[in-house]
Amino acid sequence: MTDFPPLQNDLLLRAARREPVERTPVWIMRQAGRYLPEYRALRADEAFFDVVRTPELATEVTLQPLRRFPLDAAIIFSDILVVPQALGLRVEMIPGRGPYFPDPLRTVEDLRRLRRPDVREALHYMLEAITMTRKALAGRVPLIGFCGAPWTLMAYMVEGGGSKTFARAKGWLYRQPEASHRLLSLLTDVLVEFLIAQIDAGAQVVQVFDSWAGVLSPDLFRTFALPYLRRIGEEVGKARPEVPRIVFARGAHASLAELADAGYDVVGLDWTIDPRQARKLTGGRVALQGNLDPCALYAEPETIRRLTHRMLEAFGPRGHIANLGHGLHPDHNPEHVRAFVEAVHDYVPVASE
């Protein structure tokens, strides 16, 4: 591992371990990227995946929100779909449409096209960006690494892009369960290796995004998503126990209790569950992250402040990382993002007033 400057702000790490903190730490999913004019200016001459694959550019984009807002963490600028690319699938980012796989997995025989990569070689650019960013941060805040969850990656790889239903991918789970497990197991092996490599490169926290968990029934989630999330949490935790792990399975409320026992320090929540209910379901076994509705940032700053304070009161002061319930939208006003971050900073717990 590279020697890095000592960490000056460890609020996020302490909150993840459910230790006392002076105030709730805050970061935002998709805080680096498309809502910022400086990001759009950089992207004017660069394709999306060119930025991702160029460590200097990825570092610059990662640091952009830290220059604007008093955030308590940086998250490396990349994309969950770099893993399918490393497995041999072509992925394009189409403006106005999102990710597109020109030749997705359509049959079981297509699994033969996938190759097991040497993660540190195939994804060296992201690892280099993590090391470069960690040095550039100079200990100011911790750096978060991440990956997509096996089910979410499979959903894209079979569907060929985004979808409201992911009917093709879910069809595999019903028609081809054995092949589905084979693909999910391969992805899990690669993701464990990938997260460990990110930690070795300088990531101080890692998050697993299961963005499409909510399209699965509780039974399907417990069969095709949860076991692989558990493997990732437990194996990465065994290999690098000092680094907190966050799991964010959007829409998987029916399995919150199981997620709390899946080998992670923190469970992320979307905006459709009440924090008090989540506390009861997880029983204090993990810290919680979230969960303001991203659309609340379309409100006026004073309303954002009020809603943020209400959220913080519902979670309580121990074991909470403030965030949105999903990522920022492209048309969010950066000043409204500032209002959210500053509202977290200026919150005083009711009992202390």
Side-chain angles (χ1 to χ4, degrees):
M1 293 188 185
T2 305
D3 288 330
F4 296 109
L7 185 60
Q8 302 163 29
N9 176 348
D10 67 348
L11 284 173
L12 183 79
L13 306 187
R14 284 190 280 143
R17 299 182 185 114
R18 291 173 288 140
E19 297 171 359
V21 291
E22 303 83 74
R23 62 167 177 80
T24 301
V26 56
W27 70 280
I28 308 173
M29 289 181 279
R30 292 186 185 145
Q31 67 186 29
R34 52 198 182 167
Y35 73 102
L36 288 175
E38 53 266 43
Y39 169 78
R40 292 195 294 271
L42 183 148
R43 278 289 316 281
D45 299 317
E46 304 285 348
F48 175 80
F49 280 115
D50 287 342
V51 177
V52 168
R53 295 191 189 102
T54 306
E56 293 81 4
L57 294 179
T59 296
E60 166 61 21
V61 175
T62 302
L63 296 175
Q64 285 176 347
L66 274 295
R67 298 187 186 117
R68 277 183 176 258
F69 314 121
L71 294 155
D72 294 303
I75 182 167
I76 195 66
F77 182 78
S78 188
D79 194 271
I80 64 172
L81 298 180
V82 298
V83 169
Q85 288 176 332
L87 288 165
L89 295 184
R90 189 155 63 96
V91 185
E92 302 172 3
M93 197 63 70
I94 308 298
R97 175 177 174 180
Y100 169 63
F101 288 67
D103 195 14
L105 304 176
R106 286 288 185 250
T107 68
V108 172
E109 288 71 29
D110 286 337
L111 293 179
R112 297 173 185 165
R113 290 162 37 205
L114 302 180
R115 60 172 184 264
R116 173 68 188 269
D118 179 330
V119 166
R120 292 174 190 263
E121 179 180 335
L123 297 167
H124 67 91
Y125 53 85
M126 185 172 173
L127 305 179
E128 291 168 15
I130 287 173
T131 301
M132 189 176 295
T133 302
R134 177 81 183 270
K135 290 178 178 178
L137 285 168
R140 178 179 170 186
V141 295
L143 177 61
I144 302 171
F146 69 92
C147 69
W151 156 248
T152 286
L153 295 183
M154 175 183 169
Y156 280 114
M157 292 163 73
V158 174
E159 203 75 24
S163 167
K164 291 182 179 179
T165 63
F166 283 95
R168 285 194 179 101
K170 287 175 65 177
W172 266 52
L173 306 183
Y174 286 110
R175 294 194 317 271
Q176 307 288 352
E178 183 179 349
S180 296
H181 281 298
R182 204 175 346 136
L183 174 56
L184 292 164
S185 185
L186 169 64
L187 286 165
T188 299
D189 291 342
V190 172
L191 293 168
V192 168
E193 185 180 345
F194 188 30
L195 289 180
I196 292 171
Q198 289 185 49
I199 292 167
D200 291 348
Q204 293 151 287
V205 182
V206 290
Q207 174 160 314
V208 181
F209 286 86
D210 209 350
S211 304
W212 299 114
V215 304
L216 299 177
S217 69
D219 283 345
L220 284 181
F221 181 80
R222 292 183 180 114
T223 301
F224 293 101
L226 184 60
Y228 300 101
L229 289 172
R230 183 178 289 115
R231 269 181 53 194
I232 293 170
E234 291 177 350
E235 291 184 25
V236 174
K238 183 178 179 180
R240 302 291 184 270
E242 72 284 0
V243 173
R245 300 165 305 285
I246 306 171
V247 61
F248 176 59
R250 185 169 60 138
H253 304 151
S255 296
L256 269 183
E258 291 96 328
L259 285 167
D261 295 320
Y264 296 86
D265 302 280
V266 184
V267 174
L269 306 175
D270 66 39
W271 67 93
T272 63
I273 186 167
D274 183 88
R276 297 176 183 87
Q277 182 187 5
R279 287 284 190 210
K280 290 180 181 178
L281 289 169
T282 56
R285 300 190 297 282
V286 291
L288 298 176
Q289 178 175 277
N291 72 332
L292 190 71
D293 183 349
C295 289
L297 297 195
Y298 293 124
E300 292 304 310
E302 186 53 38
T303 301
I304 294 169
R305 182 175 183 274
R306 176 173 52 82
L307 294 172
T308 301
H309 286 186
R310 183 191 301 170
M311 174 193 74
L312 293 168
E313 182 180 354
F315 275 105
R318 180 72 70 92
H320 177 224
I321 298 167
N323 207 314
L324 301 181
H326 200 241
L328 286 164
H329 298 168
D331 59 348
H332 272 139
N333 183 335
E335 288 309 304
H336 289 208
V337 175
R338 180 185 303 281
F340 170 65
V341 175
E342 292 181 349
V344 177
H345 279 256
D346 68 26
Y347 174 70
V348 178
V350 173
S352 301
E353 291 181 343

